[in-house]
Amino acid sequence: MHDTTSMLIELGLIVLGLGIVGRLAGRLGLSPIPLYLLGGLAFGQGGLLPLDTVEGFIEVGAEIGVILLLLMLGLEYTAPELVSSLREQYPSGLVDLLLNATPGAIAALLLGWGPVGALALAGITYISSSGVVAKVLTELDRLGNRETPVVLGVLVIEDLAMAVYLPVLTTAVAGVGLASGSLTVALALFTAGVALYVALRHGRVISKAVSSDNPEMLLLVVLGLTLLVAGVAQELQVSAAVGAFLVGIALSGEVATTTRRLFTPLRDLFAAVFFVFFGLSTDPTEIPPVLATALLLAVITAGTKIATGIYAARRAGIGPRGRLRAGGVLVARGEFSIVIAGLAAASEPRVAPLATAYVLILVILGPFTARWTEPAVRWTRERRQARRAGRAERGVDGSDGAKRSADPAAGAGGPGGATAADEPRDSASPV
């Protein structure tokens, strides 16, 4: 009875604390993820007040949190949208993979982590946080902007890449042989292909079978189906997260809309528990030694994400200002990076503290780059142009002032007669 009482008290304190820090993050205009991670660090091993009684419950809740995150992610897309994004955005997806996975892989090898560590850190630096990006786009009122579909297309390809990457990482962490590993990856690809085919051809049938006018019944059926498929996928070494993602893709129409509404509070609760658990399992004393590495990696990969967004938006015919907005909004890393670190920690424990510091930096930096990348670049260009114009005018006034005053071509627009009407305009991008 004493253990049960202690568990209820600790669990109540954790959930209440999550609510408080979530409200604080909302008032500060930040994602709550860094505060959840910091809370886990404070009450985990090596923290201020370790929580022991509730650890087992939190671990199960964290697994459910990952599954619900991926289920909701799958519900955001229909199978035709996924196929369309692959056809239109695959060059941008390849550039994204090359620019953002490479720094992580190189850093891991330089740190002496070996192939598994390199594979894990490459995934951590590669994938943006869909949750943070969606939240930022909504808060900045950019859902109607022309660059937003490009951003979402890049995110879709990243999410699809996870359906292949997670089984590969799981196999590498398990240390199985080449033949068994190849079989697992082939099985994952086959499963994903079958799921996409079924969703394309028979999505309405599945949705109709799951559908119910009773919200309670719909919630129970979808949750039970998701956990069942996730468990079977885990048994097949395909990854429970991938199984949940495929369930989300298979549901469409009114069922998907209603499921998103019902599951959003549940997902938010268990996702918060997941981030807390990751913090609980990370020793905070291990973070200071890797903080400089995490900061350097964050600066590099923030730049490569901005370059990715610029490239993808340029391919879509978006103007210069829209390209910068697309790049800035992709910077944040979050839930998937932590999922990858959690999988890899069993094989390479040094991944967890570096991933925690890295995600903390970029999940805080991301909303700022989304808001200020384009204005900062525009301000820098304007200052540079003003300095050049000032130097040119001083040179003309000093050497040939009389000729300049008599030359009608040298008007208020500066040398060459450039006026405001001659300035390049971002006609392809909304202002």
Side-chain angles (χ1 to χ4, degrees), residues 365-406:
L365 182 64
F368 290 99
T369 58
R371 186 185 299 270
W372 297 109
T373 296
E374 183 269 324
V377 172
R378 177 158 44 89
W379 180 81
T380 302
R381 287 174 177 170
E382 289 173 354
R383 288 292 300 272
R384 190 180 303 155
Q385 290 172 356
R387 284 197 298 267
R388 282 202 300 260
R391 285 196 299 266
E393 186 162 342
R394 285 195 300 272
V396 170
D397 287 341
S399 61
D400 198 6
K403 180 178 178 181
R404 183 179 184 276
S405 61

Side-chain angles (χ1 to χ4, degrees), residues 71-422:
L71 169 68
M72 296 294 286
L73 197 58
L75 288 170
E76 294 294 329
Y77 310 119
T78 64
E81 287 174 345
L82 291 175
V83 174
S84 175
S85 293
L86 280 175
R87 288 175 178 170
E88 296 176 4
Q89 299 282 358
Y90 75 89
S92 300
L94 292 175
V95 169
D96 184 21
L97 177 64
L98 179 64
L99 288 181
N100 296 288
T102 303
I106 293 174
L109 293 175
L110 290 175
L111 291 169
W113 289 4
V116 176
L119 180 63
L121 195 55
I124 290 169
T125 60
Y126 161 59
I127 188 162
S128 299
S129 170
S130 299
V132 175
V133 170
K135 185 174 184 294
V136 169
L137 287 174
T138 302
E139 290 177 349
L140 296 180
D141 196 23
R142 292 185 185 174
L143 293 177
N145 282 22
R146 289 192 67 239
E147 74 272 6
T148 297
V150 175
V151 171
L152 297 178
V154 172
L155 294 177
V156 169
I157 291 180
E158 289 183 353
D159 296 336
L160 282 175
M162 287 297 104
V164 178
Y165 171 82
L166 290 178
V168 172
L169 179 63
T170 304
T171 302
V173 169
V176 300
L178 179 61
S180 299
S182 301
L183 180 62
T184 300
V185 174
L187 181 60
L189 291 173
F190 175 76
T191 304
V194 169
L196 285 174
Y197 173 80
V198 171
L200 279 168
R201 298 293 184 180
H202 308 291
R204 291 183 179 179
V205 176
I206 297 173
S207 298
K208 187 176 181 180
V210 172
S211 178
S212 174
D213 294 331
N214 187 327
E216 179 185 352
M217 294 301 103
L218 179 62
L219 188 148
L220 290 173
V221 169
V222 174
L223 180 59
L225 178 63
T226 303
L227 293 176
L228 177 63
V229 172
V232 172
Q234 187 79 12
E235 183 66 23
L236 295 174
Q237 295 185 346
V238 173
S239 171
V242 173
F245 180 67
L246 296 175
V247 171
I249 293 174
L251 301 179
S252 60
E254 185 64 27
V255 172
T257 303
T258 306
T259 301
R260 278 198 299 270
R261 186 176 70 250
L262 291 173
F263 274 79
T264 297
L266 199 63
R267 176 207 56 190
D268 293 342
L269 170 62
F270 281 100
V273 170
F274 165 71
F275 292 120
V276 169
F277 175 74
F278 187 82
L280 288 172
S281 59
T282 303
D283 189 344
T285 61
E286 296 178 353
I287 291 181
V290 301
L291 195 56
T293 303
L295 182 60
L296 178 61
L297 199 57
V299 170
I300 292 172
T301 54
T304 54
K305 272 295 180 184
I306 292 174
T308 297
I310 291 173
Y311 173 80
R314 185 170 57 191
R315 285 191 69 252
I318 308 299
R321 296 176 66 179
R323 297 172 196 170
L324 291 168
R325 287 194 293 265
V329 81
L330 285 170
V331 166
R333 270 64 158 194
E335 58 275 9
F336 254 131
S337 296
I338 298 298
V339 170
I340 293 166
L343 289 173
S347 175
E348 180 49 77
R350 291 173 292 181
V351 170
L354 180 60
T356 301
Y358 176 78
V359 169
L360 281 172
I361 293 169
L362 285 184
V363 81
I364 294 172
L365 182 64
F368 290 99
T369 58
R371 186 185 299 270
W372 297 109
T373 296
E374 183 269 324
V377 172
R378 177 158 44 89
W379 180 81
T380 302
R381 287 174 177 170
E382 289 173 354
R383 288 292 300 272
R384 190 180 303 155
Q385 290 172 356
R387 284 197 298 267
R388 282 202 300 260
R391 285 196 299 266
E393 186 162 342
R394 285 195 300 272
V396 170
D397 287 341
S399 61
D400 198 6
K403 180 178 178 181
R404 183 179 184 276
S405 61
D407 188 355
T419 65
D422 297 319

